[in-house]
Amino acid sequence: MPALILLVVALLSPSRAHAQGDTGFLVPDTVVQAPSGPRIVILEADRGGVAALRLFVPLIEGPAEAGVGRILVTLALERMAGPAGQVGARVSSERTPWGIAYTAAGAEVDLEYLTYLLRRAAERPQPETVALDRARGALQAEIERISETPAERLLYEVGRSAAPHLPPATGSPTTLGMIGSARLQEVWARSHNPSEMSIVAWTTSDPEVLHAMLGSLGAPETTSSAPLDAPDPGSALAQAPPRLRSWYAQAQIDTSTSDPHAAVAAHMIARALQESAAEFQASVRLWQLRDRTLLVVSGSAGRGRGPRMRAAISSVVDQVRDGLDAASVAASVSEVAWRYRLEARNPQGLVGVIGRALEATGQPTGAESYLSRLSAISVTSLATYLGSLSDPLTTELLP
Amino acid sequence: MRLAAGIRGGSLALFAVASPVAGQVGDYAYVGVGSGQTTSVAVAALHLQVGSSDDPVGMEGTAWLLGAILSDQTNAALAGTSATVSAVVGRSTTIYTMTAPRDRWGASWATLAGVIFSDLIQPAALERSRAALSATSAFEGASPTADFGREAAGLLAPPSHPWAQPPKGDSESLASITDADLQRFRDERYRPASASVGLVGTGDARDVIARVDPAPRPEIDSIAWTEGRRVTIAQDVTSAWLAISYPLPARAGRTELEFITQLVSDAVEPLVPDPSLFSMHVRLVDAPHGPVVTIETVVSPSAAAVSERRIMGAVRGLAERPPAGELFQFARRRFRAARLLEESYPENAAGRIAADLMRSGVARNLQDEIWGIDSRSLAGALALLGEPRVFFLGPDPRGPQG
């Protein structure tokens, strides 16, 4: 049996336990690239007894296959859930802007079983009509809910106008109708290429041991191909039901995918809008897409208050930029950093935070870099950031 | 000499406080530090032996109101620091949980301790919390949930025991509580010397807390009741509510009791989705005279009798045929994973450490304890399950004519 050879790409830190500084907990201990296999990012676990693994599979959908990723996510979760229950492990799968992430967490002594769960997640979907119909039906119901829920419809439409080249993750009734077992397996074979995958692992095991446990993941490399090159068959939503309120949204594009200024700006805009809470309801959302980030401000107001709401939303970014001061920027930076830390407070959260940053930037240290850059944000840098956003794209739904 | 604590299995450093320490923790009975867990935040759980069963007569809801006010005041005092505090008030305990940045946990803790034990009750905070609690109380008071909770709790305690009284009081009792009442209640009941603290993510805190020798674990050997009972309340509601409770042998040890609770939960959950089952919760309850496993379920009235028989049959089957061999190994493996995953959240770990210390003076090393359970000891504990007490609330099973 040939010896396992792993290429150590970078040893980032002697140990996170010894890493000094505020962001050390986000620095991986070891990163290795397995030959013809996934990149493995190890976070050395403590004695808490828990292991957490996040397997990422890049996926780009062509316009005519929109929704396939979400269906693969649903089917993978069904394959994992039963066996996970046998040992009390927790599993999840999610469609991210960049692909699909499968997560398994449980007792460290069950690590081998956790890797088995990931293999189950990444295996070829079987052509089971009932399961496929169920997954497709759930997505169709989600699209219908978006169609008739003003807040969701508003976001959907403003998102489409801000990124028309990116198919909606839910797909559309037309594309969902085109997804059969053959299409599903084709997309799976194209995307589940082991050498394109990455794993972020919180474990006490060495990368060699983890790699051996993972065995053969996904599809053979030779099946790789490009996304289906067919035109968008149309993703317009069904006509919306009558409304009682005015709904308005504006989206501004940030062309990066990991600039911490975006979260601080969103936080400050939300605070500015709180003062108008008696007049109308507003919300701020950072919407992460594959190649850009959308800063979406939306709101709804009762009859007669629509114009004031539109005016307030339209002017809020300028208002925040004009009112920037060191204290308020520092407070928002601190709050955003704290939420980041809270999310990473246990192994499952930590592999999620580091994994998502890795997927967005391609860098195992993406999360640490994000937190470092966050702490360096100043009044000047934030003003520059706000000035660099695209002109607003707007959508309105009237009564 | 005040209280001491021990170290088990090397993953917990437990200390008793020798003297008040500058800005960190005060004169607490027990302090346990979870030192084996890396986390990006610091969490402190303060566990007080005060709950709704301590409410003065006519002022039911005092403990709840005080918990809400003090967490409100603490959060106001911590504003701008990122640290936050929440309070959970039970029938015999109050737990404050603080989550704070690791590099500022000491200062945040000092703020919390100052507000909880010393600061005056602020009238504005009192009125805000009273309004919120009164609204909750009025809403719940008009639903079968309140009747069910009150009557089901009554079955777990001796007659007229204050443990079973409605924990949140009612709008009348809440309205009668003044800031002076709360101040007095706090002065009498909130004592660091009878409180425990669980810390996670704070470092080992050795520089601020003196370490002393372990205290012996007190021998507990009581049982909640020896005679079963069944109580039915017929009410014209659309669902049937069932609470089935079994007394557990206290000497079995906490981890074994938690394992039994998990096994009961697994046993009573239907194997296939049951459309007549609306909800089911299985939990371990510390009743006044001993631990109890309680199964609470809401079902369609037509399925109530079958559900009751099914649940009792499943528990009886578990006691008569406890898991052995590979089945036991799998059940213990599932339980271990579930508990470890639960404890991977630092707030859960800190809360458990504080509760362990308050209960026995020693914080458990969960991995070792779970691994230490064997099928024989489990079977012995299950064989000691007592007679159930059953409470039914729902449409009269005999029909509208009674």
Side-chain angles (χ1 to χ4, degrees):
Chain A
M1 184 179 168
L4 175 68
I5 300 169
L6 293 176
L7 173 62
V8 178
V9 175
L11 187 63
L12 295 154
S13 145
S15 161
R16 276 171 310 102
H18 298 112
Q20 299 300 311
D22 210 24
T23 57
F25 69 100
L26 292 170
V27 179
D29 292 289
T30 314
V31 181
V32 301
Q33 178 66 58
S36 305
R39 177 152 59 158
I40 301 175
V41 176
I42 297 280
L43 308 162
E44 204 173 286
D46 56 29
R47 291 171 294 159
V50 169
L53 309 173
R54 177 184 169 99
L55 171 66
F56 172 68
V57 177
L59 169 62
I60 294 176
E61 290 172 351
E65 53 193 20
V68 172
R70 286 285 304 273
I71 291 176
L72 286 171
V73 159
T74 303
L75 298 180
L77 188 60
E78 288 180 3
R79 285 195 299 275
M80 283 195 288
Q86 297 289 315
V87 298
R90 285 185 198 162
V91 290
S92 64
S93 59
E94 64 173 310
R95 178 74 167 100
T96 78
W98 305 281
I100 296 173
Y102 307 111
T103 304
E108 171 74 35
V109 294
D110 289 331
L111 182 66
E112 191 166 6
Y113 197 87
L114 299 179
T115 59
Y116 159 70
L117 293 173
L118 291 186
R119 280 200 305 278
R120 289 279 290 162
E123 74 186 24
R124 177 186 293 275
Q126 296 304 308
E128 293 167 4
T129 312
V130 175
L132 177 57
D133 284 350
R134 196 167 51 231
R136 202 167 29 206
L139 274 183
Q140 267 158 350
E142 188 175 329
I143 293 169
E144 286 166 8
R145 198 191 64 232
I146 291 170
S147 299
E148 64 187 5
T149 310
E152 294 193 38
R153 187 183 184 101
L154 202 62
L155 279 174
Y156 180 93
E157 291 190 349
V158 82
R160 294 292 293 146
S161 64
H165 61 296
L166 296 178
T170 51
S172 66
T174 314
T175 61
L176 291 178
M178 294 161 61
I179 298 171
S181 292
R183 174 67 48 80
L184 206 60
Q185 297 206 3
E186 190 183 302
V187 174
W188 170 82
R190 185 180 84 220
S191 57
H192 284 58
N193 177 346
S195 61
E196 298 292 323
M197 297 177 181
S198 60
I199 289 179
V200 180
W202 167 271
T203 175
T204 57
S205 288
D206 294 332
E208 293 87 349
V209 175
L210 181 62
H211 182 257
M213 286 179 177
L214 285 164
S216 55
L217 277 168
E221 271 186 285
T222 50
T223 60
S224 295
S225 60
L228 181 65
D229 187 21
D232 184 353
S235 52
L237 295 174
Q239 192 170 356
R243 287 167 293 273
L244 299 173
R245 300 167 65 81
S246 293
W247 297 77
Y248 179 76
Q250 71 169 37
Q252 288 180 272
I253 301 169
D254 161 0
T255 53
S256 79
T257 54
S258 62
D259 188 338
H261 286 92
V264 176
H267 186 259
M268 297 192 77
I269 292 167
R271 292 189 73 156
L273 285 169
Q274 272 175 0
E275 293 161 15
S276 314
E279 292 270 327
F280 55 88
Q281 285 75 52
S283 65
V284 183
R285 177 170 167 168
L286 267 189
W287 192 351
Q288 188 66 66
L289 300 173
R290 194 175 76 223
D291 58 359
R292 61 193 61 198
T293 305
L294 304 186
L295 183 61
V296 184
V297 186
S298 59
S300 67
R303 284 186 193 278
R305 289 181 171 167
R308 263 180 299 186
M309 172 191 67
R310 278 195 297 280
I313 289 177
S314 302
S315 62
V316 71
V317 174
D318 289 341
Q319 180 195 328
V320 166
R321 187 173 53 190
D322 295 344
L324 289 176
D325 63 75
S328 60
V329 171
S332 286
V333 165
S334 175
E335 184 60 30
V336 172
W338 176 241
R339 289 183 191 180
Y340 208 66
R341 285 171 186 282
L342 273 181
E343 194 181 346
R345 72 190 186 282
N346 74 346
Q348 303 94 297
L350 186 61
V351 297
V353 164
I354 292 178
R356 276 194 296 280
L358 169 63
E359 292 147 27
T361 65
Q363 300 300 317
T365 51
E368 193 271 341
S369 166
Y370 181 91
L371 207 49
S372 296
R373 286 181 290 132
L374 176 64
S375 64
I377 288 175
S378 64
V379 170
T380 310
S381 72
L382 192 57
T384 305
Y385 172 81
L386 289 170
S388 74
L389 294 172
S390 73
D391 289 338
L393 297 154
T394 62
T395 302
E396 193 164 27
L397 301 171
L398 296 171
Chain B
M1 179 67 190
R2 280 177 302 98
L3 296 167
I7 299 176
R8 273 195 190 178
S11 71
L12 284 166
L14 306 173
F15 310 100
V17 182
S19 60
V21 183
Q24 298 290 350
V25 284
D27 229 6
Y28 300 94
Y30 293 98
V31 179
V33 185
S35 59
Q37 190 168 352
T38 302
T39 173
S40 55
V41 301
V43 179
L46 170 65
H47 192 115
L48 297 157
Q49 282 184 302
V50 185
S52 60
S53 56
D54 300 300
D55 289 343
V57 175
M59 292 195 289
E60 289 78 14
T62 300
W64 273 80
L65 193 53
L66 187 58
I69 293 166
L70 292 177
S71 58
D72 189 10
Q73 287 189 197
T74 309
N75 281 320
L78 290 169
T81 68
S82 296
T84 55
V85 171
S86 63
V88 175
V89 180
R91 295 181 185 274
S92 51
T93 59
T94 296
I95 302 163
Y96 292 95
T97 305
M98 180 189 80
T99 307
R102 293 185 64 159
D103 57 352
R104 292 202 292 268
W105 83 269
S108 301
W109 175 264
T111 301
L112 176 140
V115 175
I116 299 292
F117 293 110
S118 309
D119 280 9
L120 289 174
I121 305 291
Q122 293 166 5
L126 165 59
E127 292 316 322
R128 207 164 38 240
S129 297
R130 194 204 312 266
L133 197 52
S134 296
T136 307
S137 179
F139 176 75
E140 290 177 354
S143 78
T145 313
D147 294 339
F148 179 71
R150 185 176 55 250
E151 300 298 334
L155 271 184
L156 308 187
S160 307
H161 196 288
W163 185 89
Q165 71 192 7
K168 297 178 194 171
D170 55 34
S171 48
E172 199 177 324
S173 67
L174 289 169
S176 71
I177 300 168
T178 66
D179 52 352
D181 295 329
L182 290 166
Q183 200 75 46
R184 194 177 317 112
F185 184 87
R186 201 251 307 257
D187 291 346
E188 289 169 2
R189 308 276 180 179
Y190 274 43
R191 294 184 178 279
S194 57
S196 65
V197 181
L199 302 169
V200 171
T202 59
D204 71 5
R206 280 165 203 264
D207 53 337
V208 291
I209 304 175
R211 178 179 170 183
V212 294
D213 296 329
R217 178 181 169 148
E219 188 72 27
I220 302 170
D221 188 14
S222 63
I223 190 152
W225 61 77
T226 53
E227 288 182 4
R229 197 187 304 166
R230 191 177 197 289
V231 174
T232 298
I233 293 185
Q235 213 176 77
D236 190 17
V237 288
T238 53
S239 302
W241 307 62
L242 261 174
I244 305 174
S245 305
Y246 292 83
L248 294 164
R251 64 165 55 177
R254 191 71 184 180
T255 309
E256 207 159 46
L257 295 178
E258 290 169 354
F259 187 24
I260 289 172
T261 305
Q262 178 68 52
L263 290 171
V264 169
S265 180
D266 292 347
V268 300
E269 280 284 343
L271 290 174
V272 291
D274 178 357
S276 64
L277 175 67
F278 303 146
S279 72
M280 179 176 281
H281 300 287
V282 181
R283 56 199 173 95
L284 180 60
V285 180
D286 288 305
H289 287 182
V292 172
V293 61
T294 292
I295 304 125
E296 290 179 344
T297 183
V298 184
V299 295
S300 161
S302 60
V306 173
S307 288
E308 184 177 337
R309 278 198 301 275
R310 189 181 63 75
I311 290 169
M312 294 177 75
V315 177
R316 195 167 48 247
L318 185 64
E320 290 170 356
R321 296 177 300 281
E326 283 194 1
L327 277 180
F328 169 79
Q329 306 280 357
F330 260 108
R332 187 175 59 176
R333 193 175 174 185
R334 273 198 306 275
F335 174 61
R336 180 185 54 194
R339 289 297 280 119
L340 292 176
L341 286 170
E342 196 180 321
E343 293 250 335
S344 71
Y345 290 89
E347 60 271 29
N348 294 346
R352 196 266 305 165
I353 290 169
D356 279 358
L357 291 171
M358 187 61 83
R359 191 181 305 111
S360 65
V362 180
R364 290 171 289 165
N365 178 313
L366 274 183
Q367 290 226 66
D368 289 354
E369 293 237 348
I370 294 170
W371 214 234
I373 300 173
D374 60 39
S375 56
R376 215 171 133 188
S377 70
L378 177 73
L382 282 168
L384 293 174
L385 274 183
E387 287 295 309
R389 289 190 172 176
V390 180
F391 173 63
F392 172 88
L393 183 150
D396 191 335
R398 293 169 299 176
Q401 305 307 317

